[in-house]
Amino acid sequence: MKINRFHVFLLILVSGFFIWSIIKPSHYPIWILEVGPSVIILIIVISQYNKIRLTSLSYCIIALLAILTFIGGHYTYDDVPLFDFLQNQYDLKRNDYDRFGHFLKGLVVIVFREILILKTPLTSGKWVQFLAFCMTLTVSACYEIIEWLAGKIAKRETKDFVGAQGDMWDAQWDMSLTLIGSFIALLLLTSWHNRLIQDLKEKQWS
């Protein structure tokens, strides 16, 4: 399959945000912790582009989530200006960029679903939905465990990385929002996603 121009555009867009993010971030160690996992995932996706070609929807989701982490890494998650403005404007208790990000991370269920359909004997159905859902929640839970361990190892240095903002239930909120985001993504995008996967298969066979 030839390189898709839209995919090139997404790569340029993500690269632009990455370059912006690395220029004078609020805290370089926090930037590395926040941005590092996304960079590793992007390297894997790019290196496997010719071997594992995904739909444009999946690449859009990957690009969106990477950009979200680049923004959060640049400012730190509890100091993103737009959400600081919303916090002050509506007298909110906290900057909710972190929770907004965890909600959108539920979209990764579509990427997992696609990989299961393309690379396993499973076909589109309830088992694929269930497994993709479980994979998404597992990743969310593992991330919260990493945050907890980081907080235990170096409390002061990782305060902005954890982003709990004094909420003892922050991890539970984050995982719950990812769960809700995953459920909504499957509910709204499954039919469209099935058509995109079918189109992708036909291009690969042609």
Side-chain angles (χ1 to χ4, degrees), residues 107-118:
L107 288 169
V108 81
V109 72
I110 297 297
V111 181
F112 285 137
R113 180 180 187 273
E114 185 166 321
I115 293 172
L116 287 170
I117 293 173
L118 294 177

Side-chain angles (χ1 to χ4, degrees), residues 106-107 109-110 113 128-134 136 179-191 193:
L107 288 169
V109 72
I110 297 297
R113 180 180 187 273
V128 166
Q129 305 289 76
F130 175 72
L131 289 174
F133 190 72
C134 289
T136 303
L179 183 151
I180 294 170
S182 299
F183 180 78
I184 293 175
L186 289 174
L187 187 66
L188 298 180
L189 300 177
T190 292
S191 296
H193 191 217

